[in-house]
């Protein structure tokens, strides 16, 4: 009987130690997450899974919980990801301004960091019917100039013959 008690106590002690380790690890992740939010107050972090899009006024980074955990435990990895995060606000602003300049209404932009810290960014939008597209205007002007040169060359060659 004492054998069973010792054995049960051993299992209890091992289980308690494992749960204590997990709790302290999750506390360090939570502490790191709070520091990250303070360091980047202009970014909303989604670590709950799924994808939340950004808009022109709000930058959302979908950060894998595994990536967050790795950042909390590996300072070099955290430094690399934080360096990437430091450009997210400017990138979001630039994407929306370029789209607006080109007459595109963006429906949203997503930024995702996977467990290994790989970043993916995507956006989708639609050209608005009443917008003037400056880059299309430039291309149209260039095409007209090319056509005029071709016509001018033909005219010159006709005059010489």
């Amino acid at each position: 009987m004492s054998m069973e008690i010792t054995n049960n106590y051993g299992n209890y002690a091992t289980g308690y130690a494992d749960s204590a380790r997990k709790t302290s690890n999750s506390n360090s992740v939570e502490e790191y997450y709070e520091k990250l939010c303070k360091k980047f107050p202009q970014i909303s972090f989604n670590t709950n899974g799924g994808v939340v899009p950004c808009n022109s006024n709000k930058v959302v980074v979908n950060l894998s919980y595994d990536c967050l955990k790795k950042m909390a435990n590996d300072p070099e990895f955290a430094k690399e990801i934080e360096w990437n995060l430091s450009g997210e606000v400017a990138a979001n602003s630039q994407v929306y301004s370029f789209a607006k300049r080109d007459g595109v209404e963006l429906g949203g932009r997503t930024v995702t960091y996977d467990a290994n810290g790989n970043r993916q960014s995507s956006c989708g939008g639609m050209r608005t019917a009443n917008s003037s597209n400056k880059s299309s205007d430039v291309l149209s002007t260039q095409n007209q100039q090319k056509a005029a040169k071709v016509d001018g060359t033909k005219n010159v060659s006709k005059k010489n013959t």
Side-chain angles (χ1 to χ4, degrees):
M1 184 153 173
S2 67
M3 193 80 156
E4 286 180 28
I5 293 173
T6 305
N7 194 14
N8 287 340
Y9 175 76
N11 290 340
Y12 171 77
T14 303
Y16 178 78
D18 286 345
S19 71
R21 236 181 272 122
K22 287 178 185 174
T23 303
S24 68
N25 190 22
S26 76
N27 283 343
S28 71
V29 173
E30 287 176 24
E31 288 171 11
Y32 179 76
Y33 177 76
E34 289 173 11
K35 288 179 186 175
L36 191 65
C37 289
K38 287 178 184 174
K39 189 171 188 173
F40 299 101
Q42 66 279 33
I43 298 175
S44 295
F45 292 98
N46 171 30
T47 59
N48 297 326
V51 178
V52 177
C54 305
N55 61 39
S56 60
N57 300 321
K58 182 179 178 185
V59 179
V60 178
V61 170
N62 299 285
L63 187 63
S64 159
Y65 183 79
D66 291 334
C67 182
L68 181 65
K69 189 163 66 172
K70 190 172 179 180
M71 290 170 73
N73 295 311
D74 182 350
E76 286 301 312
F77 181 73
K79 185 178 177 181
E80 181 182 328
I81 301 301
E82 287 179 14
W83 186 84
N84 289 337
L85 291 171
S86 68
E88 290 298 345
V89 174
N92 198 63
S93 176
Q94 194 171 30
V95 165
Y96 276 90
S97 358
F98 286 167
K100 185 176 182 180
R101 178 199 69 195
D102 292 340
V104 174
E105 180 78 30
L106 289 181
R109 174 177 174 259
T110 60
V111 178
T112 306
Y113 286 80
D114 70 9
N116 298 318
N118 298 317
R119 179 186 178 277
Q120 180 179 0
S121 175
S122 61
C123 59
M126 180 181 299
R127 186 168 310 283
T128 53
N130 61 354
S131 66
S132 69
N133 182 350
K134 292 180 182 176
S135 58
S136 285
D137 292 345
V138 169
L139 287 174
S140 176
T141 303
Q142 288 174 346
N143 289 338
Q144 288 172 358
Q145 289 172 348
K146 284 180 186 177
K149 276 186 178 181
V150 171
D151 288 341
T153 306
K154 287 180 185 174
N155 290 338
V156 169
S157 62
K158 286 181 185 177
K159 289 179 184 175
N160 290 337
T161 53

